[in-house]
mmCIF file of all heavy atoms in Angstrom:
data_model
loop_
_atom_site.group_PDB
_atom_site.id
_atom_site.type_symbol
_atom_site.label_atom_id
_atom_site.label_comp_id
_atom_site.label_asym_id
_atom_site.label_seq_id
_atom_site.Cartn_x
_atom_site.Cartn_y
_atom_site.Cartn_z
ATOM 1 N N GLU A 1592 -13.094 39.082 21.218
ATOM 2 C CA GLU A 1592 -13.569 38.296 20.056
ATOM 3 C C GLU A 1592 -12.704 37.051 19.836
ATOM 4 O O GLU A 1592 -13.229 35.963 19.593
ATOM 5 C CB GLU A 1592 -13.535 39.176 18.803
ATOM 6 C CG GLU A 1592 -14.056 38.491 17.562
ATOM 7 C CD GLU A 1592 -15.541 38.168 17.651
ATOM 8 O OE1 GLU A 1592 -16.284 38.880 18.365
ATOM 9 O OE2 GLU A 1592 -15.954 37.173 17.032
ATOM 10 N N SER A 1593 -11.401 37.211 19.940
ATOM 11 C CA SER A 1593 -10.530 36.043 19.732
ATOM 12 C C SER A 1593 -10.680 35.028 20.854
ATOM 13 O O SER A 1593 -10.571 33.824 20.618
ATOM 14 C CB SER A 1593 -9.073 36.483 19.589
ATOM 15 O OG SER A 1593 -8.603 37.039 20.785
ATOM 16 N N ILE A 1594 -10.967 35.488 22.071
ATOM 17 C CA ILE A 1594 -11.197 34.550 23.174
ATOM 18 C C ILE A 1594 -12.460 33.747 22.924
ATOM 19 O O ILE A 1594 -12.485 32.528 23.112
ATOM 20 C CB ILE A 1594 -11.277 35.308 24.532
ATOM 21 C CG1 ILE A 1594 -9.901 35.842 24.913
ATOM 22 C CG2 ILE A 1594 -11.807 34.389 25.626
ATOM 23 C CD1 ILE A 1594 -9.910 36.716 26.135
ATOM 24 N N ARG A 1595 -13.526 34.416 22.451
ATOM 25 C CA ARG A 1595 -14.769 33.695 22.145
ATOM 26 C C ARG A 1595 -14.553 32.681 21.014
ATOM 27 O O ARG A 1595 -15.012 31.541 21.099
ATOM 28 C CB ARG A 1595 -15.868 34.677 21.755
ATOM 29 C CG ARG A 1595 -16.742 35.069 22.925
ATOM 30 C CD ARG A 1595 -17.933 35.891 22.505
ATOM 31 N NE ARG A 1595 -17.608 37.287 22.810
ATOM 32 C CZ ARG A 1595 -17.543 38.268 21.919
ATOM 33 N NH1 ARG A 1595 -17.853 38.060 20.681
ATOM 34 N NH2 ARG A 1595 -17.207 39.486 22.291
ATOM 35 N N ASN A 1596 -13.822 33.094 19.981
ATOM 36 C CA ASN A 1596 -13.558 32.169 18.863
ATOM 37 C C ASN A 1596 -12.718 30.986 19.308
ATOM 38 O O ASN A 1596 -12.984 29.842 18.930
ATOM 39 C CB ASN A 1596 -12.866 32.908 17.720
ATOM 40 C CG ASN A 1596 -13.785 33.867 17.017
ATOM 41 O OD1 ASN A 1596 -15.009 33.722 17.073
ATOM 42 N ND2 ASN A 1596 -13.202 34.860 16.354
ATOM 43 N N THR A 1597 -11.705 31.251 20.120
ATOM 44 C CA THR A 1597 -10.831 30.174 20.603
ATOM 45 C C THR A 1597 -11.622 29.205 21.480
ATOM 46 O O THR A 1597 -11.494 27.981 21.351
ATOM 47 C CB THR A 1597 -9.651 30.753 21.382
ATOM 48 O OG1 THR A 1597 -8.962 31.689 20.554
ATOM 49 C CG2 THR A 1597 -8.692 29.671 21.835
ATOM 50 N N THR A 1598 -12.433 29.756 22.375
ATOM 51 C CA THR A 1598 -13.241 28.907 23.252
ATOM 52 C C THR A 1598 -14.222 28.054 22.448
ATOM 53 O O THR A 1598 -14.390 26.865 22.724
ATOM 54 C CB THR A 1598 -14.023 29.768 24.264
ATOM 55 O OG1 THR A 1598 -13.086 30.612 24.939
ATOM 56 C CG2 THR A 1598 -14.734 28.919 25.269
ATOM 57 N N ARG A 1599 -14.830 28.663 21.436
ATOM 58 C CA ARG A 1599 -15.764 27.914 20.593
ATOM 59 C C ARG A 1599 -15.045 26.795 19.821
ATOM 60 O O ARG A 1599 -15.535 25.686 19.712
ATOM 61 C CB ARG A 1599 -16.450 28.867 19.613
ATOM 62 C CG ARG A 1599 -17.602 28.235 18.881
ATOM 63 C CD ARG A 1599 -18.354 29.195 17.943
ATOM 64 N NE ARG A 1599 -18.376 30.572 18.398
ATOM 65 C CZ ARG A 1599 -17.894 31.585 17.676
ATOM 66 N NH1 ARG A 1599 -17.360 31.395 16.499
ATOM 67 N NH2 ARG A 1599 -17.955 32.816 18.149
ATOM 68 N N ASN A 1600 -13.860 27.112 19.302
ATOM 69 C CA ASN A 1600 -13.085 26.096 18.559
ATOM 70 C C ASN A 1600 -12.648 24.947 19.448
ATOM 71 O O ASN A 1600 -12.671 23.791 19.051
ATOM 72 C CB ASN A 1600 -11.894 26.740 17.883
ATOM 73 C CG ASN A 1600 -12.286 27.625 16.728
ATOM 74 O OD1 ASN A 1600 -13.375 27.479 16.172
ATOM 75 N ND2 ASN A 1600 -11.422 28.558 16.382
ATOM 76 N N VAL A 1601 -12.208 25.276 20.681
ATOM 77 C CA VAL A 1601 -11.781 24.236 21.615
ATOM 78 C C VAL A 1601 -12.952 23.359 22.002
ATOM 79 O O VAL A 1601 -12.847 22.126 22.089
ATOM 80 C CB VAL A 1601 -11.112 24.862 22.863
ATOM 81 C CG1 VAL A 1601 -10.930 23.841 23.963
ATOM 82 C CG2 VAL A 1601 -9.781 25.477 22.485
ATOM 83 N N ALA A 1602 -14.116 23.971 22.216
ATOM 84 C CA ALA A 1602 -15.292 23.203 22.603
ATOM 85 C C ALA A 1602 -15.745 22.285 21.466
ATOM 86 O O ALA A 1602 -16.216 21.174 21.709
ATOM 87 C CB ALA A 1602 -16.431 24.143 23.004
ATOM 88 N N ASN A 1603 -15.598 22.761 20.236
ATOM 89 C CA ASN A 1603 -15.961 21.915 19.089
ATOM 90 C C ASN A 1603 -15.003 20.763 18.924
ATOM 91 O O ASN A 1603 -15.339 19.695 18.540
ATOM 92 C CB ASN A 1603 -16.021 22.738 17.791
ATOM 93 C CG ASN A 1603 -17.234 23.636 17.772
ATOM 94 O OD1 ASN A 1603 -18.219 23.385 18.446
ATOM 95 N ND2 ASN A 1603 -17.146 24.700 17.001
#
Side-chain angles (χ1 to χ4, degrees):
E1592 183 66 29
S1593 65
I1594 290 174
R1595 266 187 259 120
N1596 289 338
T1597 304
T1598 306
R1599 190 177 328 122
N1600 289 338
V1601 168
N1603 287 337

